[in-house]
Amino acid sequence: MTPLSFRPRLLDHLSGYSRQTFLADLLAGLTVGAIALPLAMSFAIASGLPPQTGLITAIVAGFLVSALGGSSVQIGGPAGAFIVVVYAIVERYGVANLLISTSLAGLLMMALGFFRLGGLIRLIPISIVTGFTNGIAVLIALTQIKEFLGLRGPNLPAEIFAKLGALWRALPNIDLPTVAVGVCCLAIILLWPRSDKPQNHPLGRVISRLPGSLVALVASTLVCSLLDLSPETIGDRFGSIPTALPSPELPDFNWATVQFLLAPIITIALLGSIESLLCARVSDGLTKERHDPNQELVAQGMANVVSPIFGGFCATGAVARTVTNIRAGARTPVAGMVHALALLLVVAGLAPLAEEIPLVALASTALVVAYNMFDRSVFTQMRNMTLSYRITLFSTFALTVLVDITVAVEVGLLLAGVGFMIRMAALTQLEPITADELSTLGLRPDRTEVLRLRGVLFFGAVSRIEPLLNPRRDVPQILVLELGSLLAIDSTGIDALKTLDESLASRGCELRICDAHPNVLSSMQRWGLISQLGEQRVFQTLQGALA
């Protein structure tokens, strides 16, 4: 396997980079930065972390993903898909171990990219991706109910039933002013004019470029201050927000501790890889370009290694921000780098003002993200899907909500694999070639039997040839297996053919094979079937086998 030749997509765009291109990237980067500001803080708070953690992640990881990635316009940073995962890791292992898990997951992602294994991520069935994405959406919504209803108190537990119990017990303490602010924020986010709709007036075009989440954040802060409302703010819970990036500091690695973090490390690496490559595929569909999945994984891995050094957490490709970047006119990775630098300038200049932002405004943003993540059409169209698809999707969804995303993906892969094997086994058939067909070749059916083996002869389909081993079955003088429609064979299938040859030989029947594909023939050669049969019983054509 040839290691990856490290070449960020940015290098391809620097040649011939023009002033017009820079202006387009600058405008797109500023637009995405305005959207990323409330999202970064809301994702961090929803994950059980202070808001500056989300901003640091968006700045550091966002810059590295764009500068080093294999996609021209993908935006990296904290993502809604990570909320549930990070919340559970913080609850069970603590923030320090979250940083260690993120860095080691980044190293794992880099290894996948350097050894060109990015394509393997695409092998994960869409039923699993859809299942856990919808499950994550439900969990995100549940984590935001506490903030949306103004329920004060400790963080909710990570376990679903304990979380529901805590919410139920806290319901009598609903803060109505907080709920009113939250409803207004939801209305602003959902109803604010979209930038993809044409505006006739210049002021309308400017207004439409402002993201609804940012407008809701500013409006709710101003209204709460003017009307002296009392929703809990960022400053009330987290104190002041730093006005600069913290000094880099390596996480305290301890091998004895790392051994217990394998599950979160694998979860972060797997989810980050899936989300980033799915996002890159979405951007490819909109820009008609093609990303480099291995280079993208290396960049995502580097971002996740470096982000915790500055106090950030895990990052991946963000679909909503990437689509916004494209629609805002981004042409190169410079737009993503501008978005990160814009956030850095905002933190440096406006951090004190962010302390007055109501938490319910950020919760409303996260609720809209959860709403957009949840694909309702999947469940309404469930009856049109195969049984295997339905079982895999629903199991992954239910396990994500009720147990854990790692367990959900593991069980989903198992179910998808079993379903695939069942379908492959059903496609594998052993069919007799009729006497009429044989007679046209001048053969006597009473002395020669020809069977066509089609499909894939693997451990789940060897039962197809078991009837030939029945001692009560009449055998001809010659049995020919025509393999022109056999696509692949594994070691179990070859062992079954060896056993068939020995069984037939003991009863005076000669087994011949013909018309095998080169890859099937190579497997037979490698596993010793050809040497057992002898070259004289292996033929290129059916006519040769029956001569």
Side-chain angles (χ1 to χ4, degrees), residues 7-14 17 21 25 28 62 65-76 279-281 283-284 286-293 295-296 322 325-326 329-338:
R7 183 175 177 81
R9 187 58 58 87
L10 176 64
L11 298 179
D12 298 333
H13 290 282
L14 290 181
Y17 193 75
T21 303
D25 287 338
V65 167
S66 295
L68 304 177
S71 174
S72 297
V73 291
Q74 177 161 241
I75 300 296
C279 180
R281 290 175 67 180
S283 71
D284 286 352
L286 295 174
T287 61
K288 308 307 179 185
E289 294 186 3
R290 183 169 179 80
H291 72 282
D292 182 346
Q295 181 65 44
E296 189 62 34
T322 298
N325 190 40
I326 295 170
R331 300 181 185 179
T332 75
V334 172
M337 298 162 66
V338 169

Side-chain angles (χ1 to χ4, degrees), residues 425-439:
L427 293 175
T428 304
Q429 300 293 334
L430 187 66
E431 305 168 343
I433 293 183
T434 64
D436 291 339
E437 292 179 77
L438 290 175
S439 63

Side-chain angles (χ1 to χ4, degrees), residues 402-415:
L402 300 177
V403 184
D404 180 76
I405 187 174
T406 306
V407 175
V409 173
E410 290 172 349
V411 173
L413 286 172
L414 176 63
L415 292 174

Side-chain angles (χ1 to χ4, degrees), residues 351-418:
L353 298 179
E355 299 168 17
E356 302 301 321
I357 296 174
L359 292 177
V360 66
L362 299 177
S364 300
T365 300
L367 283 173
V368 173
V369 170
Y371 176 81
N372 291 331
M373 284 180 65
F374 191 82
D375 188 356
R376 293 158 294 281
S377 64
V378 170
F379 297 95
T380 58
Q381 299 174 4
M382 189 78 79
R383 62 182 180 275
N384 299 325
M385 303 172 186
T386 64
L387 179 61
S388 173
Y389 188 100
R390 293 198 298 265
I391 292 175
T392 302
L393 189 152
F394 186 77
S395 298
T396 306
F397 170 76
L399 289 172
T400 299
V401 174
L402 300 177
V403 184
D404 180 76
I405 187 174
T406 306
V407 175
V409 173
E410 290 172 349
V411 173
L413 286 172
L414 176 63
L415 292 174
V418 171

